[in-house]
Amino acid sequence: MKATAPRRGGCGMPSDLLTSLSTMTCHRTTVRGSRGTSRRLIHARPRPAIRKAQEARDTAKPATIQTSSIAGTRRSFDAPGATATGSHLAISTRDSTMQLNTFEGECRFDEITHASTSGGKETTMSAILTAERETVCSSVLDEFIATQRSRAGRDRNIPILLGLNGLANLRDGALYADTIDQRQWEAMYGELAVAAEQTIPPLSAMFDLADSQQGAVAIGVLNVQYQAPDRRLAGALRRAVRDQAALELPPGTDISDMIETRTAFAACAILPPAYWGVSRQQEVHDGLEVHFKLDRTLYVSNGELPDRLEIDFGDGGGFRPALFDTESIVTYDEAGEQRIVLRAWFGDEARCAAFRFIVADAARHATPPERGNGAPVPASRIHVRASIAHEGKLYQGVMHVYWAWSNRSGKLRKPLLLAEGFPGKNDANAIYDYFNGFTGERNNPNAKLADELRVAGYDLVILIFDERGSPIQGNAFVYLQALYWIRDNGAQGRPRIHAMGGSMGGLIARYALAYAEQQRLDPGDVAALTTFDSPHQAANVPLAAQITARFFAYRQPDPDTLLNYPAAKQMLIHQVWRWDGERESLTKPEFSKFYAELEALAFHGYPTRPKKYAICNGALDSHVVSIPGGAKTLSIERTDSPTVYKVELWATPNKIFNSKTYYAELYMWDQTRNARVSYSVDSDAQGFYTRDGCAGGLAKNFKTIYDALICPQRAALHYEVNCFIPVHSALGVPRQDAYAFEARTVQPGETPFNKWYVPSGNQPHCTVDEGIKNWVLARVAEHVLQAGDTIALKASNGLYLSRYWENRDCLYASKPARDYFCLFKVVAADRGGFALKADNGNGKHLRKREDNYMAPDGDGVGPDSTFTLDELPGGEHIRLKLESGGYLRYRGSSERNQISVSADGGDVTNRFVYERVAPSQQSDETELSGDLTIHSAVD
């Protein structure tokens, strides 16, 4: 139900927030107090349907579930909320127990040389979200807030702080400051923003201001006076809220005598939030030199400015004077955590605020480890703007080029274009670190994929998008523009490009290439597409985590902001948009529209020209789950402050069949919200499949909620992780029942990918470990040269190899400029390796003649016409080896630089550079397909 006109309810809340289905039946009685005063009590009793569901959950026989610890020992435990029968454990397994993920085990991948997608897209079963809600606070407590608001009305700048999350006593800077981090500062700011009822800017505005400092690190300062109950009043409020009773005060007590005015004083360096997938990471400044700035607009206060400011940046220089809107340049000796102390003087009184600040050495990205001498080459930045609009807008991004260690040319030789993942606008160096196996929570020291790619001669280009969470199509057109730029700026003609994308970035790269193919655009010579745990068949965030983010968005906006991004709405298979009890479908039009549009491109939304590789972070077997179906994941109860809230969350079962299943119960009372809501999913007879615990790449969605609410001691996080990208989604295989999908049994034609990698256990989303690193390096090396390429070869004397010179049809290193006599087509040879066919010439293949010279007069058959390619260290030069023995070389000028074959391949005359060029438009020859033999040579 929804009210037709706005009006105020009995608790001072708008009636449209009071008229949805109620979870509790309230009975009001009046009793006589011990001192003869009347007081009103509200007793809350669960409705029969909810009480029955709660009793069933509490009394269900727990199922014994197997789990493995990190050390490898096995133990059993009773999973909360898991029952031995019924829908809670309706998971297809190979035995009667489930094995929980251990993050251990050998890695494995399966290969398919020719594969095509089976087409079709997953059909979401019918399901409706419902919420049953009631208001929970007494009118007496509403009257208390109203009274305090009227008292503060004389000075609206003084907020009334009731103390959610135990923050009734905020840091005041009077004593020597304890050290806080950015999250703690954000929590203080958010608490004051709610209490101040929007009289100070929201936290998002502070981030925007900090982001506009043009390279400087902004320092935000809180110096806010606020009102809070003293200990006597706080205790009375707690009892009233707990018992749903009237507020009882000692006779003759004036409530104004129980209100204290306090000061909150705190400071912090404000860095943009960093994400890996949907998990927020530790904020880190890249570079030992830092430009700090005390911006006046980031000094939030309802009092006077300090007389003077001093800052100790933790660099050994001690306290120094600081001025607003003036930069202070600080250079740290080494990377790591720094402690910075701000001291503000108000007359003779000083207040101190200390905060943590982490710096990293940016030079680590310029110098790959264990490679010779020479000056580091910093990453280059190239701005790109899409030439194709999405919904009337041209999106933009920045390419960060991390040059191969051997590449000093300023031109791309062997580029890999990597699209960042959700939400976008991340720090490029942080993405580099992630692909080196390092995040703030884990470190795989043997997984330095980014470093080793550059050591092997590849230029790593990381594409960062200008806007967080923007539509996937808009960023795909930015990716396409980046491909155009790389195509036109190769050091050796058209470079062979390896397209990559992490998580959402894989969808972006896939969309860009499929769109280009459908529209017959020329994105360049893209050899392969590799996606890292990408949601090709949608992503999953548990409904319980989503609804909690919505419910508490007015206090902790960060999780809710992520869910509201257009890109999130395009990828999440099930979504909750409202907290207030309105019935809504869990399948949103943004999701359906995007995947339908993607599948309509090219071959079910996949490009057909490049090879396609997929990396999955989910387990090879379906019985390795992250959460038992229906298990309780998080429980929080705070009753030790005037503001009271309670949270209980459950994972959804594998399948909700023709029933109503509860997954969240939330209770809140503060000056903004007073409600108790139980959330459930109603499914029809077809049933409703969920994904919270199935095998897949893992995200810490419940841990994110736990951290955002700054949980008290009476809180339990039963399960930190959940499935984010199911295995079938990362492999592009349509499935309804994700729990029953077995990656081990995937056959050719069931996936659009040619090769893929699946570990034995579930891993954190977008993990890069040693096994993944080695697999990717092997896949990239397969595409140095491919059948169908048209190339020109340049000898180390700087001249091109030509099949024609002075009326002689032979092979010479003689042309200073490339013409059609210099072009050769790479074709697969029957004996393995490849042959080189004269392009637009006599149609003959190069072969070794009896006199040991090369000439274009063969048929491409036999060991004298079959080559393999050795790529020399650094990736610039190659050697061409004949199957019959010996290496191609050019002779001296007296021999007109004629090309012959030498037994020894160690001379400079054996070194060549190949340039990939656009195929000749006059040639009517049919391209041959096949895999070529490429070797890595040690110089």
Side-chain angles (χ1 to χ4, degrees):
M1 261 172 86
K2 188 173 182 180
T4 57
R7 56 187 177 87
R8 303 300 291 183
C11 290
M13 299 293 290
S15 63
D16 61 344
L17 300 183
L18 304 180
T19 53
S20 55
L21 294 176
S22 175
T23 63
M24 310 288 283
T25 303
C26 294
H27 303 270
R28 188 183 298 273
T29 60
T30 302
V31 299
R32 183 66 57 182
S34 59
R35 295 181 180 270
T37 59
S38 290
R39 60 178 180 170
R40 290 175 292 171
L41 302 178
I42 295 179
H43 304 284
R45 184 175 67 197
R47 289 195 172 206
I50 296 178
R51 186 169 63 247
K52 183 177 180 180
Q54 292 170 339
E55 290 172 353
R57 185 164 51 233
D58 295 337
T59 59
K61 180 182 178 180
T64 300
I65 298 174
Q66 299 295 326
T67 183
S68 298
S69 67
I70 297 299
T73 58
R74 188 175 294 277
R75 62 186 178 88
S76 62
F77 71 101
D78 293 335
T83 57
T85 60
S87 62
H88 286 290
L89 291 184
I91 299 176
S92 176
T93 60
R94 297 185 175 182
D95 50 37
S96 59
T97 63
M98 294 189 301
Q99 180 183 341
L100 293 183
N101 172 66
T102 65
F103 296 93
E104 293 185 326
E106 296 298 323
C107 296
R108 159 181 176 165
F109 68 91
D110 296 322
E111 296 192 3
I112 295 177
T113 55
H114 298 287
S116 62
T117 182
S118 58
K121 185 179 131 343
E122 175 176 347
T123 302
T124 304
M125 293 296 187
S126 174
I128 298 294
L129 170 74
T130 59
E132 300 164 345
R133 175 179 170 217
E134 71 158 344
T135 54
V136 297
C137 75
S138 69
S139 59
V140 172
L141 297 180
D142 268 347
E143 292 168 5
F144 164 73
I145 293 179
T147 300
Q148 289 310 110
R149 283 174 176 157
S150 65
R151 291 177 184 274
R154 294 187 298 272
D155 186 357
R156 293 286 295 173
N157 290 326
I158 300 180
I160 307 165
L161 189 64
L162 291 177
L164 177 70
N165 302 333
L167 295 180
N169 287 304
L170 302 179
R171 294 167 176 84
D172 60 8
L175 300 176
Y176 195 75
D178 61 334
T179 308
I180 65 173
D181 58 25
Q182 182 167 328
R183 308 282 181 87
Q184 291 171 303
W185 186 88
E186 291 174 15
M188 290 178 62
Y189 190 98
E191 183 72 9
L192 289 168
V194 172
E197 301 179 276
Q198 311 307 319
T199 58
I200 64 176
L203 188 58
S204 59
M206 298 293 282
F207 280 127
D208 292 339
L209 289 170
D211 199 34
S212 65
Q213 299 302 312
Q214 298 180 344
V217 176
I219 297 177
V221 181
L222 286 174
N223 181 28
V224 179
Q225 286 189 330
Y226 64 97
Q227 292 182 329
D230 66 7
R231 295 181 59 184
R232 296 170 298 163
L233 182 55
L237 284 169
R238 281 197 296 269
R239 289 188 294 272
V241 174
R242 180 193 62 203
D243 300 334
Q244 289 295 282
L247 180 63
E248 288 190 332
L249 301 176
T253 302
D254 187 346
I255 197 171
S256 61
D257 295 333
M258 307 172 76
I259 300 293
E260 298 177 347
T261 299
R262 303 170 183 167
T263 298
F265 187 81
C268 183
I270 305 176
L271 294 174
Y275 298 94
W276 185 233
V278 293
S279 300
R280 187 166 173 181
Q281 304 296 314
Q282 178 68 59
E283 289 76 21
V284 177
H285 179 270
D286 209 63
L288 300 182
E289 182 179 282
V290 188
H291 293 235
F292 289 102
K293 185 177 180 181
L294 266 172
D295 194 286
R296 177 64 184 83
T297 59
L298 295 173
Y299 182 85
V300 179
S301 178
N302 53 6
E304 297 180 351
L305 288 173
D307 297 321
R308 55 191 174 95
L309 290 166
E310 299 172 325
I311 300 182
D312 180 355
F313 290 104
D315 60 345
F319 281 98
R320 67 205 72 177
L323 299 174
F324 283 116
D325 301 323
T326 302
E327 288 189 9
S328 298
I329 301 176
V330 178
T331 302
Y332 293 99
D333 293 332
E334 59 184 17
E337 181 179 301
Q338 316 296 332
R339 184 176 188 267
I340 300 176
V341 182
L342 171 73
R343 190 158 60 193
W345 291 90
F346 300 87
D348 296 332
E349 178 188 357
R351 295 197 183 103
C352 291
F355 57 92
R356 297 182 184 89
F357 185 73
I358 301 176
V359 295
D361 188 357
R364 71 190 187 280
H365 303 114
T367 310
E370 301 177 4
R371 294 299 300 172
N373 299 320
V377 178
S380 301
R381 291 165 53 94
I382 298 114
H383 291 264
V384 288
R385 186 180 186 216
S387 57
I388 303 172
H390 174 65
E391 296 180 345
K393 181 175 181 179
L394 296 175
Y395 289 85
Q396 302 181 63
V398 178
M399 292 190 298
H400 297 255
V401 183
Y402 297 86
W403 300 98
W405 183 236
S406 60
N407 188 358
R408 297 295 191 271
S409 68
K411 292 280 190 177
L412 295 167
R413 289 176 177 163
K414 296 195 298 182
L416 296 95
L417 179 59
L418 172 67
E420 66 166 332
F422 184 82
K425 202 179 180 180
N426 291 296
D427 179 72
N429 287 337
I431 301 296
Y432 186 104
D433 288 340
Y434 299 154
F435 278 86
N436 256 357
F438 175 79
T439 70
E441 298 178 349
R442 61 185 184 276
N443 185 13
N444 295 315
N446 298 319
K448 296 187 180 299
L449 175 60
D451 282 351
E452 294 199 26
L453 284 170
R454 296 172 65 194
V455 169
Y458 296 96
D459 300 310
L460 178 59
V461 184
I462 298 178
L463 180 58
I464 301 296
F465 305 106
D466 276 5
E467 297 182 23
R468 291 186 187 273
S470 51
I472 292 172
Q473 300 96 317
N475 285 335
F477 296 145
V478 178
Y479 191 91
L480 186 57
Q481 197 69 32
L483 288 173
Y484 292 158
W485 191 92
I486 293 173
R487 176 198 66 190
D488 298 334
N489 288 274
Q492 303 160 4
R494 290 166 63 96
R496 175 70 71 186
I497 306 171
H498 199 119
M500 290 182 170
S503 188
M504 179 185 73
L507 276 186
I508 289 172
R510 172 189 161 191
Y511 189 102
L513 293 174
Y515 180 90
E517 195 167 309
Q518 185 189 61
Q519 300 297 319
R520 299 186 178 182
L521 305 176
D522 180 15
D525 294 333
V526 180
L529 167 65
T530 300
T531 64
F532 292 79
D533 211 30
S534 296
H536 298 292
Q537 290 286 326
N540 172 74
V541 171
L543 297 176
Q546 291 190 52
I547 199 64
T548 308
R550 303 298 193 191
F551 191 88
F552 289 100
Y554 70 105
R555 284 189 170 273
Q556 299 294 338
D558 192 54
D560 180 72
T561 299
L562 294 177
L563 293 174
N564 281 331
Y565 283 137
K569 294 181 178 181
Q570 290 178 316
M571 292 185 292
L572 289 179
I573 187 169
H574 304 135
Q575 300 177 42
V576 178
W577 288 3
R578 304 179 64 92
W579 72 269
D580 56 4
E582 291 287 338
R583 289 170 62 88
E584 60 175 319
S585 171
L586 295 176
T587 303
K588 305 302 184 186
E590 287 82 351
F591 168 82
S592 302
K593 178 182 177 182
F594 168 71
Y595 279 95
E597 180 182 333
L598 176 61
E599 189 169 331
L601 296 175
F603 192 59
H604 297 293
Y606 291 90
T608 60
R609 294 170 185 166
K611 291 289 185 72
K612 294 175 285 294
Y613 305 133
I615 295 164
C616 173
N617 291 125
L620 195 63
D621 298 305
S622 64
H623 67 277
V624 182
V625 299
S626 53
I627 306 175
K632 181 180 286 188
T633 59
L634 177 64
S635 55
I636 306 170
E637 184 176 5
R638 173 170 287 288
T639 57
D640 59 348
S641 67
T643 301
V644 176
Y645 67 96
K646 183 177 181 180
V647 176
E648 288 192 305
L649 307 180
W650 291 267
T652 49
N654 169 24
K655 182 179 180 181
I656 301 171
F657 182 77
N658 200 21
S659 64
K660 174 183 287 188
T661 300
Y662 290 90
Y663 64 87
E665 293 180 10
L666 306 176
Y667 173 107
M668 184 72 213
W669 180 84
D670 66 5
Q671 60 263 59
T672 301
R673 181 158 298 160
N674 54 349
R676 178 186 284 114
V677 193
S678 293
Y679 298 92
S680 62
V681 174
D682 292 329
S683 66
D684 59 16
Q686 290 180 298
F688 172 67
Y689 289 97
T690 63
R691 286 155 171 73
D692 289 357
C694 68
L698 304 174
K700 294 186 176 183
N701 294 139
F702 292 110
K703 179 69 161 53
T704 298
I705 297 297
Y706 182 89
D707 291 340
L709 294 177
I710 314 179
C711 291
Q713 292 182 350
R714 296 187 63 181
L717 181 61
H718 304 290
Y719 293 96
E720 245 185 38
V721 297
N722 57 272
C723 174
F724 181 48
I725 308 296
V727 175
H728 78 92
S729 181
L731 298 183
V733 181
R735 282 292 186 276
Q736 287 182 348
D737 189 352
Y739 283 85
F741 179 76
E742 295 280 353
R744 187 187 298 276
T745 63
V746 174
Q747 298 297 316
E750 294 181 350
T751 169
F753 293 98
N754 302 100
K755 299 179 183 179
W756 61 89
Y757 182 102
V758 183
S760 62
N762 296 320
Q763 299 173 326
H765 175 54
C766 275
T767 288
V768 176
D769 58 17
E770 186 175 11
I772 291 174
K773 176 201 71 175
N774 292 334
W775 190 82
V776 171
L777 290 173
R779 301 290 76 74
V780 170
E782 292 175 351
H783 300 282
V784 175
L785 203 59
Q786 284 188 321
D789 285 347
T790 299
I791 65 170
L793 292 165
K794 182 187 287 187
S796 55
N797 64 356
L799 300 177
Y800 287 95
L801 271 63
S802 173
R803 67 172 182 84
Y804 183 84
W805 184 79
E806 291 187 356
N807 298 318
R808 297 185 62 182
D809 207 17
C810 204
L811 192 64
Y812 307 89
S814 59
K815 292 290 183 73
R818 194 174 67 203
D819 60 20
Y820 77 95
F821 290 112
C822 303
L823 302 182
F824 298 90
K825 181 167 289 187
V826 179
V827 296
D830 294 337
R831 305 170 59 86
F834 62 94
L836 291 173
K837 183 178 182 180
D839 189 51
N840 273 348
N842 59 10
K844 297 293 185 175
H845 296 74
L846 292 182
R847 75 171 182 89
K848 184 179 74 169
R849 301 186 318 193
E850 291 76 7
D851 58 3
N852 214 35
Y853 286 97
M854 298 300 300
D857 60 2
D859 57 6
V861 177
D864 286 337
S865 295
T866 302
F867 297 91
T868 55
L869 181 150
D870 288 350
E871 184 180 22
L872 298 174
E876 182 178 3
H877 294 93
I878 61 170
R879 292 183 302 204
L880 291 169
K881 183 178 182 181
L882 274 174
E883 182 184 337
S884 59
Y887 296 86
L888 260 65
R889 63 172 294 185
Y890 75 91
R891 304 293 292 265
S893 59
S894 62
E895 301 288 340
R896 300 185 183 90
N897 295 333
Q898 195 167 356
I899 303 300
S900 63
V901 178
S902 67
D904 183 11
D907 190 84
V908 67
T909 59
N910 298 111
R911 297 189 177 191
F912 298 91
V913 173
Y914 72 89
E915 297 179 357
R916 188 177 290 105
V917 296
S920 173
Q921 301 300 314
Q922 300 176 11
S923 176
D924 57 358
E925 300 291 338
T926 302
E927 281 191 4
L928 301 180
S929 62
D931 289 331
L932 307 179
T933 303
I934 309 296
H935 299 284
S936 295
V938 178
D939 201 10

